[in-house]
Each structure stands twice: as structure tokens, then as C-alpha cells.
Amino acid sequence: MAFGRSSKVALLQKVPLFRALSRRQLEEIAQLADEIDIASGRRLATAGETGYELFMIVEGKAAVKTRGRTVSLGPGDFFGEMSLIDRGPRSATVEAATDMRLLVVGNREFWRLLDAAPPLVVKIMRTLSQRVRDAEASASR
Ligand code: CMP
């Protein structure tokens, strides 16, 4: 189901991740991202495999499974950035824990997105730092 660009912008405005962005930046994102609906239980990333997309959650919840631990992500959260940034394999397996609505960007669009919306770069850096801290904390537990 394809949404027009203006309804995609309306969707983006509901996501806290994008709150700091201008209308123009939201329009650029709407152009770069595809909207997909995913059924509960679907696997979106597999640990160890090559990853080609970043996913941003609009509705629903995802379960991130890392070394014996499950982290829940919800609306406004994103995942899949690590493989795009360092071209390494997926660091965790991610599955839809409920039915989900997501925005997806491929590798090339990901880098264009960061150029188009610098506040997202800051947001992604912050989130990555938190994920490293989480991983460190759970490794030393
Ligand atoms: P990537 O490695 O591309 O694919 C799996 C994704 O799971 C990863 O990017 C992150 O987006 C996400 N992820 C990995 N570890 C954590 C964590 N500790 N907390 C939240 N999300 C994570």
C-alpha cells in the first residue's frame, strides 16, 4: 500500500524521532523512505547476515535479540543503522513483536537522509552511544 508524499509527511510528524525537523526535511525523508506494514512474528534482521536497510518504527513493537537478551523498541525508535554505518553484519536479530508500520530506507537513501536532516545524525549518534553502554552493562552483569 503506497502512501502519497503528503500523507507520509503526516505520518512522519507523529514520530518523536522527527519532531526537530523542518517541513522541508520531512518532505525529503518522505521521498527517500518506503512505508511498509509487517505482520507480528516477521523477522526483519538476522544476526550475522549482511544488512541493507534502516527501519524506523511508526507503529507497533520490535524485539531485538542480542546474546540472550531481548530489548523492546517502539514508535519513534529505529534499528538497522549499525550495518549501514560500518558495513558489518547485523549485530542482532530483530523481529516484529506486534503488527507494525515501518519506514524503511536502503543504504544509499540512508546517507542522503543524513545529509538532508542533520538533526538525525545527532539522534543516531546518541542512540548508538546508549546501545554501546547497554551492551557493556549487560556484558558485565
Ligand atoms: P544492525 O546491527 O544493523 O542490525 C540489528 C540492529 O539491532 C542493530 O543494527 C541495532 O539497530 C539494533 N540493536 C543492536 N543492539 C541493540 C541494543 N543493545 N539495544 C537496542 N537495539 C540494538
Side-chain angles (χ1 to χ4, degrees):
M1 20 148 268
F3 274 67
R5 201 188 308 171
S6 60
S7 61
K8 249 200 257 173
V9 168
L11 205 66
L12 291 170
Q13 279 168 333
K14 287 200 274 174
V15 180
L17 171 66
F18 300 121
R19 217 152 263 164
L21 304 186
S22 65
R23 170 94 200 173
R24 198 195 173 128
Q25 287 169 330
L26 291 176
E27 279 179 359
E28 295 234 27
I29 295 175
Q31 214 177 353
L32 294 171
D34 288 324
E35 204 219 328
I36 56 168
D37 287 332
I38 293 292
S40 178
R42 258 273 303 276
R43 183 175 283 200
L44 297 159
T46 303
E49 289 189 358
T50 307
Y52 301 99
E53 298 114 349
L54 166 83
F55 300 89
M56 296 170 276
I57 303 175
V58 179
E59 284 167 21
K61 283 190 189 300
V64 178
K65 297 174 182 179
T66 62
R67 285 180 304 173
R69 209 166 63 104
T70 299
V71 178
S72 176
L73 300 179
D77 292 331
F78 57 85
F79 57 91
E81 76 291 351
M82 291 172 66
S83 292
L84 296 189
I85 290 169
D86 70 359
R87 300 199 177 92
R90 293 294 195 201
S91 60
T93 291
V94 186
E95 287 170 1
T98 64
D99 289 350
M100 299 183 78
R101 177 163 289 179
L102 297 153
L103 291 163
V104 190
V105 293
N107 183 56
R108 193 184 304 165
E109 290 74 24
F110 173 67
W111 295 105
R112 279 207 238 142
L113 185 77
L114 298 188
D115 276 344
L120 278 187
V121 179
V122 177
K123 177 76 190 168
I124 289 174
M125 287 197 298
R126 276 204 189 114
T127 303
L128 269 173
S129 299
Q130 283 160 4
R131 287 178 180 170
V132 172
R133 283 182 203 281
D134 269 9
E136 287 295 317
S138 74
S140 62
R141 243 177 250 140

